[in-house]
Amino acid sequence: MLNELLLDMYDFTCWGRELILEQAAKLTPEQFVQETRFPIKSVRATLAHTLSAESGYYARCVGQPHSGLPETDFPDVASLQARWQVEQEKMRAYLAQVSEAELNEAVTYNTPQGEITRTRILLIKQLFFHSMQHRAELAQMLTEFGYSPGNIDYTLFAMRKQA
C-alpha cells in the first residue's frame, strides 16, 4: 500500500513536470535563460536545479554519492527531458520495491553545509515537496512569458488517471 501511494505521488510529480516542460519547450532560447524575479533566476536554472535535487534524493536513498548536475549540462528542454527520463525510470523502480523498513532507515550524506542524516522516507517527501515548490514557480514564470501550463493540481491528475 505504501509503495502504491509513493508511486502515485511520484506519478503526480512527473505529470506536473511534463506540463511544465511542454510549455517551457515553447520558449525562445533567450526566454529560456532570461533572468526572472524568482529565487532561482531562470526557467533553465530552475528546471536544472529541480532535476539535480531529484537525482540527489534518489542517489542518497540508494547510498550513492551525488555532486549535483550543472545547469550548463542542459542547453535546452530536450536535454532536460532526456535526463529526467533516466531519473524517472530509476526512481519508479526504487519506489516499487523499497520496503517500509528501508524507508524508515536513516542515511547519512555530505552537503556543502556538512554531514546530514535523514530517513529515506523524509528524502522522498522532500523530493515531492521540493519539486512542487519549483513547479509552482515555473508555472508562474511560464505564465508571465505567455505559456501557462494550466491547472497543475492533484485533482486534475487524479481525474485524468481514472479516465
Side-chain angles (χ1 to χ4, degrees):
M1 178 71 177
L2 180 57
N3 297 80
E4 289 176 25
L5 175 63
L6 294 174
L7 282 165
D8 182 62
M9 295 303 297
Y10 189 65
D11 287 345
F12 169 63
T13 297
C14 296
W15 172 82
R17 178 186 334 107
E18 284 304 314
L19 293 176
I20 295 293
L21 289 170
E22 285 173 18
Q23 296 306 308
K26 297 175 182 178
L27 296 173
T28 66
E30 294 77 23
Q31 289 171 320
F32 187 56
V33 297
Q34 181 178 323
E35 190 168 305
T36 68
R37 63 188 175 89
F38 293 89
I40 303 174
K41 296 298 184 186
S42 70
V43 170
R44 178 176 86 164
T46 305
L47 287 168
H49 166 79
T50 306
L51 171 57
S52 182
E54 288 183 21
S55 176
Y57 298 134
Y58 169 80
R60 291 166 180 154
C61 282
V62 299
Q64 297 174 350
H66 186 265
S67 58
L69 305 174
E71 175 186 342
T72 54
D73 285 358
F74 306 104
D76 53 30
V77 172
S79 61
L80 287 155
Q81 287 173 312
R83 179 60 188 261
W84 245 311
Q85 186 61 41
V86 171
E87 296 300 324
Q88 283 177 202
E89 290 171 12
K90 293 189 304 188
M91 183 56 82
R92 279 197 175 101
Y94 176 74
L95 294 175
Q97 61 78 37
V98 67
S99 71
E100 191 167 343
E102 290 170 315
L103 286 168
N104 288 310
E105 290 175 355
V107 294
T108 300
Y109 54 93
N110 292 310
T111 72
Q113 293 76 34
E115 190 174 88
I116 297 179
T117 300
R118 299 281 187 268
T119 61
R120 288 182 178 94
I121 192 69
L122 189 139
L123 292 173
I124 299 300
K125 289 177 188 178
Q126 175 61 14
L127 182 153
F128 297 149
F129 294 116
H130 180 262
S131 297
M132 186 184 316
Q133 173 190 344
H134 292 306
R135 273 196 315 279
E137 292 168 346
L138 285 157
Q140 185 62 38
M141 284 183 220
L142 291 166
T143 298
E144 290 178 11
F145 281 123
Y147 300 105
S148 173
N151 189 341
I152 57 174
D153 189 62
Y154 180 82
T155 299
L156 184 59
F157 164 75
M159 289 176 8
R160 289 187 179 177
K161 188 174 173 181
Q162 289 175 337

